[in-house]
Amino acid sequence: MTTTEFSPPTGGACEGPAPVVRTTAGAVRGRNEEGIAVFRGIPFAAPPVGEARFMAPRPAPAWDGIRDAHAFGPPPPQDLGLMGGPGLIDVPQGDDWLTVNVWTPDADPAARRPVMVWIYGGAYKLGHSGSPGYDARRIAADGDLVVVSLNYRVGMEGFAHIEGAPANRGLLDQVAALEWVRDNIEAFGGDPGQVTVFGESAGAGSIASLLAMPRAAGLFRRAIAQSVPGTFFSDALARDIGTALAAEMGLRPTVADLSTVEPRRLTSAGESLGPKMPQHIDRWGQAAPTVTPFSPVVDGEVLPTTPWQALANGAARDVDLLVGHNRDEYRLFIAMAGQLGQIPEDKATSALRLFAPGPDGEQAYRTAFPDASPSELYERVQTDWLFNMPSLHLAEAQRAGGGRAHVYELTWPAPGNGGALGACHGLDIPLLFGTFGADLALLLFAGAEPSAEAEALSSRFRASWTAFARTGDPGWPAYDTAERLVQLMDAEPVVTAYPGEASRRLWEGYDFRPLPLL
C-alpha cells in the first residue's frame, strides 16, 4: 500500500485556510483553488491488490489525523497505447487506485448542493480521473454544485473474464464510489439525495450498465450518458476472450495464474491481443474489429441483462436520463488511423456487411445514402452501430419503460485539422469541462486558443448539464416517439426532430443484444 503523509497546511496556490472535512474513514485536508475547495486522491476502497486482487472492492482502511488530499491518486494499470505511451499521466505511482476527487464551492454540510459524479471513458482499458481534461472546477463554479470524479479498474484488472473472480469489477468499483458519495458527500456541501452520474464513451456505457444493475439502485437520481457504446459482451464471448488474453502470457484465465503477474505487467496481455483481434472475426464477430478486448459482461448477476432491455422493462423509470451523441463519432478513429477519405470500396463493403442491421443491411445503407462515398459509408455505419443508435435506443428504451429522457446531438465541428474531424468522438469533453488545452483537445483544437464561439458553446454545455442535475430539465423538451425532438448543440442551438432519420429508420426495432461467441 502507498504511504500517506500527514502534514500541516501549505501555502502557495492555496487561497485562505485549507479546508478540512471528516469522512467515514478519517479527516482530509484539501486546497482552495480559484474559489473552489478541491480534494484529490481520497480512498473510497482498499487497494485491490494481494488477497483483494480481482475481487469486489473492499472498504478503505481508516486513518488517524488529517490526511492531505492534494494529489490525484495513482491511475489504475492500463493500456496507454491510444495515449501515445506512458508518461502522459504525471501522478504518483502506487496501488491506491480506487480514489475519488471532490470540487465544491463550499464544504458546508448545510449547503446541500446538487452533486455530479464523473465517470471517465477509455474503451474500458484506459482512463484516469486525474487527467487534465477532466478538471471540474468550471463545472462546479458555473453550476454552483459539487463535482466528484472517481477511478475504477480498467482492462485486465477491471473487465477481463477471470475464473474465480466476479465479473465487471470495474463497475463494482463505480458502485463502491457512489456508496462513498452517499455516505460522505454531505460533509463536502453536497446533497446525497440529488446525485447525477455523467460520463462519456466507456463512461457512458458504464452509466448505462449502472442503470441496469440492482446493486446501483438508489445511488443516483439522474444520469447523463454521452456517446453510449453498444458493445456489451455475452458471458460466452467474455470467457473466450479472457482465455485468449491469459494465453498471451502463457497462463490460464484464473485468479491463481494471473495473480502471479504484477498488475502493470499484466496490461501487456491486452496490449498484445488487441491488434490481433481482427484475426478472430470468425469467433468474435463484431467485437473483433474494435481491437478492444474489454467491455461490460452480461453475466446474469452483476449485470443481469443489457441496459436496453433493463430500461424497457422499467428498471430506471424513476431516474431522469439525458443521453446523446456526436454527429461524426467514428471519424476520430479513422483520422487516428491516417485513413480519412481513403477507405476503399472493399473495406466499406466489409463494414456494411458486418455492422449494418438485418440480412439486407448493406443494401439498405446504400439505398438510404445513395450519394455516399466508400469512406462516408464506412464511417456512417460504424458511427451508427457503435455510438449513435445505442444512445438513441437507450432514450427510447427509457421511454418504453415508463421513464423520461432528453436527447441531444453535438453537430458543431472541431476546429482542428481544418474542420475535417467534424463533430467527432470526444469533442464534447473539452466543451463540457472547458479544458481546451489538455488531452484529446490538443488534437481537436490544434493547440489554439478557443474562439468566442467555442467558449459560448462550452458555457451552454455546462449550463444545460448543471440545470439537468439540479432540476431534471436541461432546457429542451423530453424525447418522445411522436415528434422525436432533440437539442442540436451547435453555434446556434436548435430544437428539432432527430436529424439522423435515415439511420434511425434503418435501426428501428433493432435489439442491442450482448455480442455473442460465434
Side-chain angles (χ1 to χ4, degrees):
M1 182 175 175
T2 52
T3 300
T4 301
E5 295 184 358
F6 302 100
S7 58
T10 56
C14 298
E15 304 166 1
V20 175
V21 169
R22 179 162 293 280
T23 73
T24 53
V28 291
R29 178 188 293 120
R31 295 180 186 272
N32 286 310
E33 301 176 7
E34 299 179 20
I36 297 292
V38 185
F39 301 79
R40 298 179 174 91
I42 306 171
F44 68 82
V49 295
E51 292 183 357
R53 192 169 178 199
F54 303 125
M55 296 294 110
R58 302 178 181 183
W63 59 84
D64 296 322
I66 300 176
R67 176 183 181 129
D68 281 341
H70 297 165
F72 291 112
Q78 57 192 267
D79 174 359
L80 291 176
L82 290 178
M83 300 178 69
L88 293 182
I89 298 179
D90 184 19
V91 294
Q93 298 298 299
D95 51 27
D96 273 324
W97 313 327
L98 303 184
T99 59
V100 294
N101 318 293
V102 181
W103 290 259
T104 178
D106 183 9
D108 176 6
R112 297 187 71 83
R113 289 177 167 85
V115 181
M116 297 184 71
V117 180
W118 172 253
I119 302 177
Y120 54 72
Y124 306 105
K125 64 182 180 180
L126 59 89
H128 176 229
S129 62
S131 294
Y134 303 149
D135 186 329
R137 73 185 68 192
R138 294 185 73 176
I139 298 176
D142 290 4
D144 189 33
L145 43 67
V146 180
V147 183
V148 178
S149 63
L150 60 97
N151 279 357
Y152 62 95
R153 283 172 285 182
V154 294
M156 292 291 290
E157 302 292 329
F159 288 95
H161 192 290
I162 299 172
E163 294 176 22
N168 301 305
R169 298 171 297 281
L171 299 179
L172 294 176
D173 293 344
Q174 296 167 17
V175 170
L178 289 169
E179 291 172 339
W180 183 93
V181 169
R182 177 196 62 197
D183 298 339
N184 292 280
I185 205 62
E186 186 174 351
F188 292 86
D191 181 354
Q194 189 149 237
V195 173
T196 298
V197 290
F198 68 124
E200 182 266 352
S201 196
S206 296
I207 287 169
S209 301
L210 293 169
L211 289 166
M213 289 171 58
R215 300 186 194 203
L219 292 176
F220 53 91
R221 183 175 176 180
R222 300 186 177 100
I224 304 175
Q226 304 169 210
S227 305
V228 180
T231 49
F232 283 72
F233 288 172
S234 66
D235 190 69
L237 177 62
R239 284 178 182 273
D240 205 61
I241 293 178
T243 299
L245 284 163
E248 289 294 312
M249 305 199 77
L251 300 171
R252 297 171 301 165
T254 65
V255 169
D257 272 25
L258 295 175
S259 292
T260 65
V261 183
E262 194 273 331
R264 296 185 193 280
R265 277 195 57 235
L266 193 58
T267 61
S268 64
E271 292 166 3
S272 59
L273 179 64
K276 302 175 186 176
M277 286 183 67
Q279 302 171 17
H280 298 269
I281 196 167
D282 58 327
R283 289 181 61 80
W284 299 343
Q286 292 174 324
T290 67
V291 303
T292 301
F294 309 106
S295 275
V297 182
V298 181
D299 67 319
E301 183 180 348
V302 174
L303 185 57
T305 185
T306 66
W308 300 275
Q309 183 178 343
L311 266 60
N313 291 338
R317 64 165 61 96
D318 296 327
V319 178
D320 298 325
L321 176 63
L322 171 58
V323 60
H325 56 72
N326 304 347
R327 182 187 58 204
D328 311 308
E329 295 271 8
Y330 202 75
R331 193 173 302 176
L332 173 69
F333 307 107
I334 300 174
M336 292 175 72
Q339 297 179 334
L340 269 183
Q342 300 176 25
I343 304 298
E345 178 64 40
D346 62 333
K347 196 169 182 178
T349 297
S350 296
L352 288 167
R353 290 175 179 174
L354 183 62
F355 297 115
D360 300 317
E362 178 195 355
Q363 188 54 51
Y365 257 84
R366 293 187 184 278
T367 300
F369 302 98
D371 299 323
S373 67
S375 290
E376 290 167 339
L377 286 169
Y378 179 83
E379 177 190 321
R380 183 75 264 153
V381 72
Q382 294 194 81
T383 289
D384 288 345
W385 171 77
L386 188 55
F387 295 114
N388 289 16
M389 293 305 105
S391 300
L392 182 66
H393 281 219
L394 196 71
E396 296 188 343
Q398 175 73 337
R399 186 179 182 280
R404 178 183 176 91
H406 292 80
V407 177
Y408 74 90
E409 179 176 81
L410 173 59
T411 52
W412 187 81
N417 201 19
L421 294 171
C424 68
H425 190 66
L427 177 59
D428 46 318
I429 295 175
L431 288 171
L432 173 60
F433 284 87
T435 48
F436 297 102
D439 302 340
L440 185 61
L442 292 172
L443 169 66
L444 301 179
F445 288 83
E449 287 294 316
S451 64
E453 184 176 280
E455 287 284 11
L457 180 55
S458 179
S459 294
R460 192 173 304 123
F461 257 98
R462 287 190 295 281
S464 297
W465 266 228
T466 57
F468 179 78
R470 190 175 296 279
T471 67
D473 183 356
W476 63 87
Y479 182 86
D480 62 39
T481 53
E483 296 183 276
R484 304 187 188 280
L485 295 180
V486 306
Q487 172 73 63
L488 300 189
M489 304 295 286
D490 212 318
E492 294 295 331
V494 176
V495 175
T496 185
Y498 183 71
E501 180 65 8
S503 292
R504 189 198 68 78
R505 286 184 176 276
L506 288 171
W507 291 83
E508 195 165 25
Y510 182 81
D511 184 8
F512 281 93
R513 298 180 179 180
L515 300 181
L517 177 66
L518 303 182

